[in-house]
Amino acid sequence: MKSNLLRMLAGGIVWLLAQTAAPARTVMDFDSDWRFTKGDFATAAMPAFDDDDWRRVNVPHDWSIEGPFSADYACGSGFAPGGLGWYRKHFSLDAAQKGRRVTIEFDGVYDYSEVWINGTFVGLRPYGYASFAYDLTPYLKFGAGENVVAVRVDHSRFADSRWYSGSGIYRHVRLVVTDPVHIAHWGTYITTPEINAGNAVVRVETTIENSSGTNETLSLQSDILAPDGQFVASLVTSKNLGADAVQTIAQKIKVGHPQLWSPTAPVLYTLRSRLKSGETVLDETTTAFGIRTATFNANQGFLLNGQPLKLKGVCIHHDAGCLGAAVPDKVLERRLRLLKELGVNAIRTSHNPPAPELLDLCDRLGLLVKDEAFDEFTPSKRKWVQGWNKGEPSRFGYAEVFAQWAVTDISDMIRRDRNHPCIILWSIGNEIDYANDPFTDPVLGGEYQPGNPPAKNLVTLARPLIAAVKALDRTRPVTAALANVKMSEAVGLPELLDAVGYNYQEPRYADDHRKFPQRIIFGSETSQRYDAWRAVRDNDYVAGQFLWTGIDYLGEAGEWPNRANEAGLLDLCGFKKPLAWFRQSLWSARPMVYLCASEGRRGSNLAEHWNWPSNTTVNVHCYANCPEVSLTLNGQLIGTKILSEATNGVLRWTIPYSPGTLKAVGRSNGVELCTFTLQTAGPARRIELLPDTTRLHADGKDVCHLEFRVVDAQGIRVPDAAPEVTLAVDGPAKLLGMENGDCDSPEPYQGPTRKALHGHGLAIFQATTAGGKVRITASAPGLEPATVELDSAAGH
């Protein structure tokens, strides 16, 4: 009994010491409490600079979305302001951390960022989409001394992009504290070179840095944890590492009966890496990964885990409407879940490296990714200022630093992202071969412009990018989204690529497959037309398509006041358009039926409502994936159609309008599977509030999406209602922005009032770090108000 008690006490002491010992690696969320101002200041990098009157902001932060939007800016970037701004953060470090290594990590700063610590310059990064890190250790104060990190952001040349970029520290920031002997930044690389039903071989390359100044005898323990968190395999490798040396350790670990990652079962394993000196853990990291095979075949298209799978993809930009480029994780998640509900299984990060959390979400949700690096090489593409194809474009942007930075930027993208199982393609660029923007070639015939740079330069510029990718990851194909395959073929660019992306060139598929039987072909950017999908669906050798685009996005706009591009399946709010329902009927296996209509027989300007003028002929469109659909109006059967009667994927009825209820019922073998109704709305009566959650985590990051609707006495949304809706919030939450989906609206996003569009809109609220009840009230002239309560607390 006494010996058992002593063992228990000893075990308790060991446990207590383990809990109180300093962690081998500390990762601090560095997003909160920055000081910010626009403008430039000669001494703002100096610690003593007086920033007391600067704004306090949390990052991610985008000052462009705060406006004011103006015709004085560029349509390409959504008529948003750019400018120059400074961020400063004051912080202290415990004296016990002296002697350790301290690194600051930025996920993205747009653009031309320069960073100082305590007045010492530590680095610059021109590319606004690059993630980067700086070692701050030599310049820090520990204990009572205060440290100041200062970041200068120069987006004064605001017309530098073809779409909205945002300005500022618009992605997350971390401070990482490690031992001088540690696992390098992005120093873990995981592949699965051998997979069968019984076993998988997981190959791990871990790069170790020794900045201790002494030789070290180390062991690297690599543990693999199953998706349920259970330990499944481990391997320990010992190494001698010289002073100030960097070394990569390669290990192969067997995992029995592996669970394979796929869109339908996105199971993730975890690698836990422990770097030890004797029994002392010097560093510890965890890396999520998936076990899967992803291959492309010139005849079978794309195969995941040995099975053919059509890529049903969409292109997306990085903004989120009223939030601009500073997008909370939960907003990204909502948007990706909505796309997946449509049957989307792939995302193209057009046309730049995405936020790391987007890739984390794609891993977890089961969305394949084409990870893209650049929209231009050098020289620059046109950036429209007055309007799309209007006036004189600007000619500056990333192209100005391409020669110096492109290999570094694409290499860092690969190092950062290569462990994500969701990624299946690396893209070096988008439409870099667009005819005469800027490259040209005699093969263009009458369009040839000999004063432009020759297209053969594309090959010269692409080679080092491809080499950089393959030096870091040979498990995925390298591709590019080609706008003019004819010109690219004339100079040999497709032959450099492992897979060839075709933008809007479906008529070339069949001939090119015959001429180049080993070429892997897919639609890297396509229209939403039915025949573009049919070209994929009906040809095994076409791997898939990426629609332009998944979601409406700011920028790439027309003339003022148009500020956004409305090519998306979802609007700026994330609400589904009729096009989204159509795509769902083509791509989703879940039974669905949907109705929309237009006035007259031609079927343009389709809308989801049943409020039409009297004595009108209405063209009804029905999208369904059920074998049979019946349509009724006020309980009377209009007709029944089978799916094979669809024209270009659409079932149609032309009927005289009568108010009431239009209903579609989808069936299979006489069994009802799903329904959809349109109901005539009466006069607007009240506001209705629809939150996507009523419980928030009081962490300063969690969000609630709140749809506000204008409804009639029966609760039916009034489709033409456009009152100004005002929101008031009481409690620990803040309004991030209000959106109505109107691409032609110059209204400010941060105010508490916004017009409804088609009878609704969206507000996004973010929790603070304080808990408590949040009460949100919506009001509008002449309408009954509405109130909703949220609960914000720690631990939700």
Side-chain angles (χ1 to χ4, degrees):
M1 179 68 72
K2 183 182 291 186
S3 61
N4 287 340
L5 181 60
L6 289 173
R7 279 197 297 269
M8 290 173 63
L9 287 171
I13 292 169
V14 170
W15 178 87
L16 182 61
L17 290 172
Q19 300 309 303
T20 56
R25 172 179 289 242
T26 302
V27 180
M28 304 180 201
D29 185 324
F30 227 48
D31 284 351
S32 65
D33 197 28
W34 288 79
R35 305 180 188 199
F36 165 75
T37 193
K38 292 181 71 173
D40 203 5
F41 307 89
T43 59
M46 298 298 105
F49 181 86
D50 184 2
D51 56 16
D52 283 348
D53 60 348
W54 287 16
R55 284 175 56 192
R56 269 43 170 193
V57 300
N58 295 336
V59 301
H61 173 248
D62 172 12
W63 80 66
S64 288
I65 202 64
E66 298 169 359
F69 293 86
S70 169
D72 294 334
Y73 302 123
C75 71
S77 49
F79 294 107
L84 198 151
W86 279 86
Y87 295 84
R88 285 166 55 93
K89 184 174 174 68
H90 300 245
F91 65 100
S92 299
L93 292 169
D94 193 283
Q97 293 175 319
K98 187 172 179 62
R100 294 172 65 76
R101 186 175 187 268
V102 181
T103 304
I104 191 167
E105 299 179 356
F106 292 90
D107 286 341
V109 184
Y110 203 94
D111 60 351
Y112 282 88
S113 65
E114 299 172 274
V115 179
W116 288 261
I117 180 67
N118 295 332
T120 299
F121 180 71
V122 291
L124 81 158
R125 198 63 175 248
Y127 194 29
Y129 297 105
S131 296
F132 53 92
Y134 299 128
D135 181 9
L136 307 183
T137 312
Y139 321 107
L140 291 171
K141 300 174 184 177
F142 296 86
E146 182 183 67
N147 298 285
V148 179
V149 60
V151 182
R152 183 180 185 268
V153 184
D154 186 357
H155 191 203
S156 53
R157 298 201 296 176
F158 51 84
D160 65 340
S161 176
R162 299 194 302 125
W163 60 88
Y164 180 88
S165 63
S167 302
I169 306 177
Y170 71 102
R171 289 179 179 167
H172 295 299
V173 184
R174 291 168 299 280
L175 201 70
V176 180
V177 182
T178 64
D179 190 89
V181 183
H182 56 274
I183 297 167
H185 184 227
W186 302 327
T188 303
Y189 177 36
I190 306 169
T191 56
T192 53
E194 300 174 37
I195 302 174
N196 56 53
N199 289 287
V201 173
V202 178
R203 190 176 191 275
V204 181
E205 294 182 18
T206 308
T207 300
I208 310 300
E209 294 180 349
N210 177 11
S211 56
S212 69
T214 61
N215 296 336
E216 298 284 348
T217 300
L218 306 169
S219 63
L220 175 66
Q221 178 179 326
S222 297
D223 303 327
I224 294 180
L225 308 179
D228 62 1
Q230 297 298 308
F231 174 90
V232 293
S234 183
L235 183 63
V236 178
T237 303
S238 297
K239 285 286 182 181
N240 293 319
L241 191 59
D244 301 316
V246 177
Q247 187 170 349
T248 298
I249 299 172
Q251 299 171 307
K252 287 186 176 182
I253 309 170
K254 268 190 179 179
V255 173
H257 305 290
Q259 301 177 58
L260 301 187
W261 185 96
S262 72
T264 55
V267 293
L268 294 172
Y269 287 79
T270 300
L271 172 72
R272 183 174 61 201
S273 305
R274 284 178 172 164
L275 185 63
K276 296 181 178 181
S277 175
E279 292 302 310
T280 302
V281 178
L282 301 178
D283 197 5
E284 180 174 333
T285 64
T286 59
T287 308
F289 71 99
I291 297 175
R292 55 104 179 109
T293 62
T295 57
F296 287 81
N297 181 281
N299 294 312
Q300 295 176 283
F302 175 66
L303 296 92
L304 186 70
N305 299 322
Q307 299 300 313
L309 178 68
K310 288 293 184 185
L311 298 177
K312 300 172 181 177
V314 294
C315 306
I316 60 172
H317 278 299
H318 74 299
D319 71 278
C322 65
L323 304 183
V327 187
D329 298 3
K330 284 288 187 69
V331 175
L332 284 175
E333 181 173 356
R334 171 181 176 263
R335 288 175 160 230
L336 292 175
R337 286 188 182 277
L338 287 166
L339 291 170
K340 187 157 187 179
E341 286 176 10
L342 305 183
V344 171
N345 66 11
I347 300 293
R348 176 189 179 203
T349 68
S350 47
H351 304 290
N352 45 260
E357 56 269 21
L358 182 134
L359 299 176
D360 292 337
L361 286 165
C362 288
D363 283 344
R364 183 159 56 85
L365 298 177
L367 288 163
L368 303 161
V369 174
K370 175 187 173 187
D371 203 352
E372 195 153 74
F374 308 118
D375 185 50
E376 63 183 8
F377 288 177
T378 189
S380 174
K381 287 183 176 179
R382 294 184 287 261
K383 317 303 191 306
W384 295 106
V385 179
Q386 293 173 261
W388 188 252
N389 289 328
K390 302 283 186 180
E392 188 70 23
S394 76
R395 285 284 189 177
F396 48 80
Y398 184 72
E400 296 170 292
V401 299
F402 178 90
Q404 179 183 358
W405 283 96
V407 169
T408 297
D409 287 334
I410 201 168
S411 297
D412 281 353
M413 181 185 87
I414 307 303
R415 289 190 187 95
R416 188 195 73 171
D417 296 347
R418 59 188 175 179
N419 293 320
H420 289 280
C422 64
I423 296 175
I424 56 171
L425 287 161
W426 301 119
S427 173
I428 62 172
N430 169 63
E431 296 189 345
I432 50 175
D433 63 339
Y434 198 94
N436 299 305
D437 191 18
F439 299 98
T440 196
D441 190 84
V443 76
L444 297 176
E447 296 180 15
Y448 175 50
Q449 297 182 11
N452 281 18
K456 65 181 181 181
N457 290 3
L458 290 168
V459 171
T460 303
L461 296 168
R463 283 188 189 278
L465 302 182
I466 295 169
V469 174
K470 291 186 176 295
L472 293 166
D473 180 35
R474 288 186 171 272
T475 70
R476 298 171 177 91
V478 178
T479 187
L482 302 184
N484 195 308
V485 174
K486 180 180 180 180
M487 184 172 76
S488 288
E489 281 178 352
V491 297
L493 181 58
E495 284 67 40
L496 301 183
L497 304 172
D498 302 312
V500 182
Y502 285 58
N503 281 17
Y504 309 103
Q505 295 170 91
E506 288 84 5
R508 295 188 62 97
Y509 287 173
D511 284 346
D512 283 8
H513 181 57
R514 284 191 291 270
K515 287 194 299 183
F516 308 103
Q518 300 308 309
R519 177 177 293 179
I520 292 164
I521 293 172
F522 70 99
S524 45
E525 186 173 315
T526 75
S527 74
Q528 298 174 13
R529 291 168 56 91
Y530 182 73
D531 58 359
W533 166 239
R534 188 163 47 201
V536 175
R537 183 196 65 190
D538 297 344
N539 293 292
D540 290 345
Y541 62 87
V542 181
Q545 67 174 172
F546 290 86
L547 300 180
W548 193 262
T549 177
I551 312 172
D552 289 356
Y553 58 97
L554 300 175
E556 207 159 16
E559 294 180 89
W560 175 264
N562 178 244
R563 295 191 291 110
N565 191 298
E566 54 187 340
L569 300 175
L570 309 177
D571 70 11
L572 290 170
C573 297
F575 297 153
K576 292 166 69 171
K577 302 180 187 180
L579 275 173
W581 291 96
F582 178 55
R583 191 56 46 173
Q584 186 172 341
S585 73
L586 300 177
W587 282 0
S588 176
R590 184 176 180 179
M592 59 80 62
V593 63
Y594 171 79
L595 295 172
C596 54
S598 65
E599 187 177 352
R601 295 177 177 272
R602 297 186 64 83
S604 59
N605 299 317
L606 292 165
E608 185 188 310
H609 66 76
W610 196 241
N611 282 61
W612 302 98
S614 301
N615 303 316
T616 297
T617 297
V618 181
N619 190 60
V620 177
H621 280 213
C622 177
Y623 309 142
N625 57 11
C626 305
E628 178 182 287
V629 177
S630 295
L631 184 71
T632 61
L633 178 58
N634 296 326
Q636 299 297 310
L637 181 65
I638 300 297
T640 298
K641 293 179 182 283
I642 58 175
L643 200 57
S644 60
E645 296 179 65
T647 302
N648 292 328
V650 183
L651 296 171
R652 294 179 172 88
W653 286 268
T654 301
I655 61 176
Y657 172 68
S658 178
T661 300
L662 186 73
K663 182 178 181 180
V665 178
R667 296 187 179 88
S668 178
N669 296 320
V671 177
E672 182 177 312
L673 300 178
C674 49
T675 65
F676 191 89
T677 60
L678 296 176
Q679 292 179 276
T680 304
R685 174 69 65 85
R686 59 185 174 86
I687 301 174
E688 184 177 60
L689 296 178
L690 302 172
D692 68 343
T693 183
T694 58
R695 295 172 65 83
L696 291 171
H697 185 197
D699 59 358
K701 298 178 183 290
D702 202 5
V703 299
C704 169
H705 297 83
L706 182 68
E707 181 183 355
F708 54 90
R709 285 185 180 178
V710 181
V711 299
D712 68 5
Q714 283 69 49
I716 301 168
R717 177 164 58 90
V718 181
D720 59 351
E724 287 195 338
V725 177
T726 300
L727 297 177
V729 57
D730 181 26
K734 62 181 179 180
L735 176 63
L736 291 183
M738 293 181 70
E739 178 64 78
N740 61 10
D742 186 354
C743 293
D744 295 325
S745 169
E747 297 172 83
Y749 279 130
Q750 281 68 43
T753 299
R754 198 164 188 86
K755 286 184 178 180
L757 180 69
H758 305 312
H760 63 166
L762 184 75
I764 301 176
F765 288 88
Q766 188 169 58
T768 68
T769 55
K773 296 291 184 182
V774 179
R775 183 179 176 87
I776 302 168
T777 301
S779 60
L783 299 178
E784 297 174 14
T787 299
V788 67
E789 285 193 352
L790 313 178
D791 178 36
S792 182
H796 281 173

